Amino acid sequence: MKHLTRLMDLTEKEIHDILNTADQLKYEVQHDIPHPRLQGKTLGMIFEKVSTRTRVSFEAGMYQLGGHALFLSSRDLQMFRGEPVEDTARTLARYVNGLVIRTFDQKEVDDFARYAGIPVINGMTDAAHPCQVLADLMTVREYKGSLEGLKMAYIGDGNNMCSSLIVGALKTGMHIRVACPEGYDPPQEILDFAAGYGSRFLLTRDPIEAAEGADDVQTDVWVSSGMEAQTDRRRCDFAGYTVTDEVMAAARADAILQHPLPACRGEEVSGEMFERHAAEIFDEAENRLHVQKAVLVKLLGREPASV
Ligand code: CP
């Protein structure tokens, strides 16, 4: 593994290795065991979109690993005045040991990976959100003990989260049912990938059908960053796709609810369901820190010794 641009590029073993390292690093944080595995390393963080969790967890994670993180907002780089990605990538690679990029177009992340010659991590694009889904898989494994054979349900937009969840769930032996309104299905490339897993994948228009017997129910906002002009239309189109008591009642009694955050209560999730499952949702947010540290250690540093 040279980069983390999308989960599609990882093997099941690589995903499990990241999750195992994340568990180890979480243990070390919780037991105040110093783990400066990236001493002297610098991570550049290019953000063309706002972020709370991704930015802060990468920055705090690099500090905990003994390294340093440089936050580079859209105001800070010549790239945003037209300097080509390939020149920016080749320049930054002379200063830093790795890059995190949050942007719109997946091609930009892929181009950074192609030209930089240092590890590149996708901090979210319109196509994929691999760091979030690795944290989700870590959280499911914490609550359920393993992933193999578990049932995930995703209710909502067939967006970057949905695509990465489909890939992450299927690669780790889970079943996944996705309920999207017509016109909001995941991209064909993802549906073609899922078709290779036969009955472990189902696309439906019915949130209850998706949630039936699920161990893990997932959702995401109806209006992602950059789609604000579509707010009214999306609120209409997604009516009936709120994760409510009725949807959760269709899942297993011990099902967990996950949300990448930020959440819009009353849209994709009812306020009552959000608060009932807040412990799981904020464990998931915490696990962004641990799983991204694991990715950083894998890409920029040495492996930790096992517990
Ligand atoms: N879930 C997530 O990526 O959160 P941020 O947008 O706050 O980084």
Side-chain angles (χ1 to χ4, degrees), residues 39-193:
Q39 207 146 27
K41 300 283 172 78
T42 300
L43 178 71
M45 308 197 310
I46 301 172
F47 277 69
E48 294 180 46
K49 292 169 119 174
V50 294
S51 165
T52 298
R53 281 144 287 271
T54 308
R55 183 221 166 144
V56 178
S57 53
F58 267 114
E59 199 161 328
M62 275 305 282
Y63 178 77
Q64 291 175 11
L65 290 164
H68 177 64
L70 275 175
F71 177 67
L72 302 164
S73 82
S74 51
R75 287 192 308 280
D76 299 327
L77 293 175
Q78 297 285 7
M79 191 175 90
F80 302 108
R81 293 180 56 240
E83 184 170 14
V85 165
E86 54 266 41
D87 294 357
T88 307
R90 286 180 291 185
T91 302
L92 292 178
R94 305 292 179 114
Y95 310 138
V96 303
N97 305 100
L99 287 168
V100 174
I101 301 155
R102 168 168 288 198
T103 186
F104 296 88
D105 189 353
Q106 179 71 29
K107 182 176 180 305
E108 194 175 311
V109 171
D110 294 341
D111 283 349
F112 263 101
R114 184 166 160 215
Y115 287 105
I118 56 172
V120 169
I121 299 168
N122 181 347
M124 192 179 83
T125 62
D126 290 347
H129 200 354
C131 293
Q132 179 65 55
V133 169
L134 287 171
D136 296 355
L137 296 173
M138 178 179 176
T139 310
V140 176
R141 214 170 70 150
E142 277 180 348
Y143 275 85
K144 303 295 175 191
S146 68
L147 298 175
E148 185 75 31
L150 290 185
K151 293 179 179 157
M152 182 185 286
Y154 174 88
I155 319 287
D157 191 7
N159 59 10
N160 50 5
M161 270 305 296
C162 179
S163 292
S164 295
L165 284 168
I166 291 170
V167 175
L170 293 175
K171 282 203 175 206
T172 55
M174 297 178 76
H175 301 246
I176 177 165
R177 290 183 168 188
V178 170
C180 304
E182 197 149 359
Y184 295 94
D185 288 350
Q188 193 58 47
E189 174 200 18
I190 299 296
L191 296 177
D192 290 344
F193 169 84

Side-chain angles (χ1 to χ4, degrees), residues 25 35-39 60-67 293-294 296-297:
L25 290 165
H35 45 280
R37 294 187 179 85
L38 296 183
Q39 207 146 27
M62 275 305 282
Y63 178 77
Q64 291 175 11
L65 290 164
K293 284 170 68 182
L296 290 168
V297 167

